Amino acid sequence: MRPEIERAVALLRAGELVAFPTETVYGLGADAGNAAAVAKIFAAKGRPADHPLIVHLPDASHLARWAREVPPEAEQLAAAFWPGPLTLILKRQENVPDAVTGGQDTVGLRVPNHPLALELLAAYGGGVAAPSANRFGRISPTTAAHVREELGGRVPLVLDGGACPVGIESTILDLSRDTPVLLRPGAIGAADIARVLGRAPETAAPHADAPRVSGSLDAHYAPRTPLQLVSSDGLLFALRNALVAGEKVAVLAPTVQAISHDLVTWKQSPAEPAGFAHDLYASLRELDSLGCIRILVQQPPAGEAWLAVNDRLRRAAAGSGEDDET
Ligand code: TXA
Ligand code: MG
């Protein structure tokens, strides 16, 4: 076993935290069967204790250890998408600590598709509870450096697997009810799920489950600089206003340098959804560090392919500009 994996496994067994890369974002992991270890996640993140965590598994054969019912639809989706960015909400086994489920009768499970995460999980041989490795309400980390910025001395080991290929959090699908319900959009879309199940998932009514799904809180994934979503015309208008007022602004848009000025920092956003998602959090972090009055983000197109990205942008705008943890 490689020394860093050996060290990570030893820390997990000792009830300590380990941050690790997944294909979506970096996770802050602890032994999912150890309530005291899981409590350290909440302390490090500053996250309310009733928000449930996702348990990461080495492979789908572990499902029945965590879920007391594994419906055929869960097996089908696991076969189609695991390892991959899909979290399934299932009825929990009795042994799953309340600290993991937020006291609910369900548990979130996924097998992440990242070589380092899979190596860690296989070596550990059990479930690792892990939320995104950021302070509560803030931008999810997509590099090891982001994790150190967010959690610094609060986590004894950060495994470095480079930049996360997907860049936004997993799709969450609730299979604990009569019909599948999409709780959080992600890289795996409703159409992908429908293709496997032969029926389309329902979409959760906005915020029906808040705060049980903390990703469903309005203020989330947020920079400290106020973030405003604008149309392409709105962007030029807002930029002119900022320049007239002498305000320093940052812009995330698919076409850069429509206006060139000392007060304006441009960052180009990829024109297709996968690239946009891949760059999104790193770009927001970078623009957030510039000391601007405002971050202007040109709103991507509407439609299914952009759903997950637009969801994260809306929440980033809602939660931006706050200094306190919320
Ligand atoms: O891509 C991801 O899912 C990343 C990586 C690290 O795997 N994890 C992640 O975790 O985004 P977190 O805690 O930041 O978001 C997980 C979401 C939360 O909104 C949580 O409330 C929801 O999953 N969740 C977990 N268990 C649940 C349950 N039993 N019922 C409803 N929602 C649940
Ligand atoms: Mg999170």
Side-chain angles (χ1 to χ4, degrees), residues 45 47 131-132 134 138 140 169 184 214 220-221:
K45 279 191 63 111
R47 174 165 164 153
S132 50
N134 50 280
R138 295 300 170 195
S140 297
E169 304 78 0
R184 179 172 73 182
S214 67
H220 225 75
Y221 316 110

Side-chain angles (χ1 to χ4, degrees), residues 24 47 52 54 56 106 110 131-132 170 172 184 212-215:
T24 58
R47 174 165 164 153
I54 295 169
H56 296 70
T106 55
R110 90 175 186 101
S132 50
S170 60
I172 301 183
R184 179 172 73 182
R212 292 314 213 164
V213 182
S214 67

Side-chain angles (χ1 to χ4, degrees), residues 14-258:
E16 297 298 334
L17 303 180
V18 175
F20 61 98
T22 79
E23 80 280 40
T24 58
V25 300
Y26 274 71
L28 180 61
D31 176 354
N34 177 342
V38 170
K40 293 182 184 170
I41 295 177
F42 290 91
K45 279 191 63 111
R47 174 165 164 153
D50 64 346
H51 285 214
L53 304 176
I54 295 169
V55 179
H56 296 70
L57 305 176
D59 59 65
S61 73
H62 284 247
L63 266 175
R65 299 190 202 176
W66 299 89
R68 68 174 181 274
E69 284 171 26
V70 182
E73 293 193 320
E75 303 277 12
Q76 289 163 12
L77 291 168
F81 297 118
W82 283 357
L86 176 67
T87 296
L88 300 176
I89 307 294
L90 299 174
K91 290 185 179 142
R92 70 189 274 188
Q93 280 289 14
E94 259 164 49
N95 58 297
V96 185
D98 281 340
V100 170
T101 66
Q104 299 179 87
D105 193 35
T106 55
V107 61
L109 301 166
R110 90 175 186 101
V111 179
N113 187 18
H114 190 288
L116 212 45
L118 288 169
E119 196 181 342
L120 173 67
L121 290 164
Y124 181 60
V128 173
S132 50
N134 50 280
R135 297 280 295 167
F136 181 62
R138 295 300 170 195
I139 303 169
S140 297
T142 55
T143 68
H146 295 165
V147 178
R148 289 189 209 100
E149 261 169 58
E150 287 284 323
L151 300 172
R154 298 172 200 262
V155 48
L157 178 62
V158 182
L159 294 176
D160 190 343
C164 300
V166 174
I168 58 170
E169 304 78 0
S170 60
T171 304
I172 301 183
L173 185 73
D174 188 348
L175 289 178
S176 72
R177 320 181 195 187
D178 292 339
T179 51
V181 181
L182 198 63
L183 297 181
R184 179 172 73 182
I188 294 173
D192 302 314
I193 291 165
R195 221 171 291 127
V196 172
L197 298 185
R199 61 170 170 166
E202 283 173 25
T203 302
H207 318 310
D209 292 77
R212 292 314 213 164
V213 182
S214 67
S216 75
L217 290 179
D218 251 339
H220 225 75
Y221 316 110
R224 292 187 165 79
T225 313
L227 185 155
Q228 196 183 341
L229 287 169
V230 288
S231 65
S232 56
D233 289 347
L235 173 59
L236 293 179
F237 183 74
L239 264 177
R240 283 196 198 101
N241 282 345
L243 293 182
V244 167
E247 290 176 357
K248 194 177 165 193
V249 286
V251 182
L252 182 66
T255 319
V256 301
Q257 249 116 40

